[in-house]
Amino acid sequence: MQKLWVATRKGLIEIRNGDVANVTFLGVPVTQVYARGDEVFAAVGHGHFGAKLHRSRDGGATFEEVKAPAWPPKPPGPDEKDPMGRVIPWSLEQIWTIEKSGDVLWIGALPAGLFRSADGGQSWQMVRALWDREERKQWMGGGYDVPGIHSVRIDGRRVLCGISTGGLWASEDAGETWELRGKGLWAAYNPPELKYDLNSQDVHRIAACDAQPDVLWLQHHNGAFRSADGGRTFTELAVPPSSFGFAVAAHPRDPQTAWFAPAIKDEKRVPVDGAMVVARTRDGGKSFEVLRRGLPQKNAFHLVYRHGLDVDAAGESLAMGTTTGALWTSRDQGESWQELSKDLPPIYAVRFG
Amino acid sequence: MPRVTFTGNLQRLVAAPPAEVAGATVREALDAVFAQNPRLRGYILDDQGALRRHVSVFVGGEPVKDRKGLSDAATAEISVLQALSGG
């Protein structure tokens, strides 16, 4: 039976048969969740006591704490500072994304460190080849005081990282060497000289088509984009009713289909005209349908954050959770939506598993 | 042999009973506790070994001055608390 996991400000919520089946870590922020079968990883963010990682091997019935990724010792010398003058800590502040490929677990963090574990979280290696890039010192916080890695995509030896703000970084050799990609992305918020600077693009979220992973969908701070060449070049898309947003989900088999969750604009992070909608394309982003059946169409203030939209492995069911605690699911690719609750805590991530 | 106590708010997350340990400085005393209870370390210290931003440590009622090095002398009971700054 398909489960849906909802990581929230006040715990991890498991949904079965359209209802809340279980709550773990009650009262504690759960910043990310990953689930495949009986294996579930939950990133727990104890404000005072740091970010921790817990693993379940029985489908979420019980969890045990495993090691969280940690920074290596910082070389002696003054604090590192970002271009805003803020100290970049060499210490884990938040687990922002969790992915697994084969037996290897990957974590993208705040600050923007990438980590891998080959033993299910018993030990971690930082991907130094990315952290040690000189360009890293130009990255800036996007949504948080420190920059972070919110999207990690693994396909064979290819590793892609989406960084807010630090653009799209790619490795074709399992993380040994890295290059900046993202030609075609542009930043309205930058001075003219930096408009096309790849390293300062505020990538909000990346989603790839599992069957054709060269096809990437990218929600950016000031637009939506699609790539058909593994992120080397992008085409800008016109998403109705607005191209601003955080989340995007890619159909696992059809490289022409993706879903976006638009909001008005960066300074007005609410649905256009108070009507909650999802924008779907089925022709590679040339055109979009605005889907609204079952979603509130007036006085809606919901925002779907980066990891708040997911599609299942079949490409049929969708889940969408908002920062104001509403959760909807769809069983027909977004044509119609069912409200599961409007009373949940702020939702950080939804994930089928 | 300084005594080290931990905030009750920590107890729901990780076992942190009071401990009597050897140590001339706060660092030495905490390291002695963590040697017996390794999981506790990451709840108190960041990845570089400094006190977490929202954790406070007192020695006999005085807040430690060296939050990075923890070189303050362990002359009295050491209390590890949750700072209100973290909300």
Side-chain angles (χ1 to χ4, degrees), chain A residues 286-348:
Chain A
K286 294 185 191 71
S287 68
F288 282 85
E289 303 156 89
V290 177
L291 309 172
R292 52 181 89 234
R293 201 184 313 154
L295 299 173
Q297 293 304 297
K298 59 178 186 180
N299 303 322
F301 287 76
H302 300 287
L303 179 74
V304 180
Y305 207 34
R306 285 180 175 79
H307 307 99
L309 179 67
D310 196 24
V311 58
D312 73 348
E316 293 297 322
S317 291
L318 290 157
M320 178 165 68
T322 75
T323 57
T324 33
L327 177 65
W328 300 277
T329 55
S330 169
R331 289 180 180 175
D332 52 13
Q333 298 195 337
E335 288 290 335
S336 63
W337 295 83
Q338 293 77 45
E339 175 191 302
L340 270 71
S341 178
K342 282 192 288 199
D343 305 313
L344 300 180
I347 292 172
Y348 298 139

Side-chain angles (χ1 to χ4, degrees), chain B residues 19-45:
Chain B
E20 304 265 353
V21 291
T25 64
V26 170
R27 170 75 68 193
E28 288 175 13
L30 287 179
D31 279 349
V33 175
F34 300 149
Q36 298 163 21
N37 189 355
R39 217 183 114 203
L40 183 56
R41 179 186 171 90
Y43 285 79
I44 309 300
L45 305 182

Side-chain angles (χ1 to χ4, degrees), chain A residues 30 41 56 60 64 92 139 142 154 158 201 223 269 275 287 307 312-313 316:
Chain A
V30 176
F41 288 93
S56 172
E64 57 168 349
L92 178 68
W139 297 348
I154 314 293
R158 175 183 291 171
Q201 298 300 320
R269 301 176 178 207
S287 68
H307 307 99
D312 73 348
E316 293 297 322

Side-chain angles (χ1 to χ4, degrees), chain A residues 17-31:
Chain A
N17 297 323
D19 206 354
V20 174
N22 197 18
V23 181
T24 43
F25 307 105
L26 179 64
V28 178
V30 176
T31 60

Side-chain angles (χ1 to χ4, degrees), chain A residues 63-77:
Chain A
F63 280 85
E64 57 168 349
E65 187 179 338
V66 291
K67 272 215 171 93
W71 259 253
K74 181 183 171 299

Side-chain angles (χ1 to χ4, degrees), chain A residues 206-275:
Chain A
I206 302 166
C209 175
D210 290 336
Q212 292 190 39
D214 271 350
V215 172
L216 302 180
W217 304 86
L218 188 150
Q219 178 67 61
H220 182 284
H221 191 96
N222 60 267
F225 299 84
R226 181 178 185 269
S227 170
D229 57 8
R232 290 176 179 85
T233 60
F234 281 89
T235 305
E236 188 166 4
L237 312 175
V239 179
S242 167
S243 291
F244 178 82
F246 285 95
V248 56
H251 194 286
R253 289 188 314 279
D254 176 6
Q256 306 298 318
T257 296
W259 297 264
F260 290 83
I264 294 179
K265 211 172 180 308
D266 44 359
E267 70 274 22
K268 284 185 186 167
R269 301 176 178 207
V270 294
V272 177
D273 298 330

Side-chain angles (χ1 to χ4, degrees), chain B:
Chain B
M1 289 283 281
R3 178 179 156 87
V4 187
T5 64
F6 296 90
T7 170
N9 289 326
L10 201 49
Q11 312 289 337
R12 65 193 163 90
L13 310 175
V14 58
E20 304 265 353
V21 291
T25 64
V26 170
R27 170 75 68 193
E28 288 175 13
L30 287 179
D31 279 349
V33 175
F34 300 149
Q36 298 163 21
N37 189 355
R39 217 183 114 203
L40 183 56
R41 179 186 171 90
Y43 285 79
I44 309 300
L45 305 182
D46 70 18
D47 295 352
Q48 301 302 316
L51 275 187
R52 288 196 171 280
R53 198 182 315 155
H54 301 302
V55 169
S56 55
V57 173
F58 292 78
V59 180
E62 287 291 319
V64 297
K65 294 185 176 63
D66 180 8
R67 291 180 55 87
K68 274 191 180 171
L70 300 174
S71 59
D72 301 56
T75 51
E77 178 162 318
I78 298 169
S79 309
V80 179
L81 300 171
Q82 174 175 320
L84 294 177
S85 59

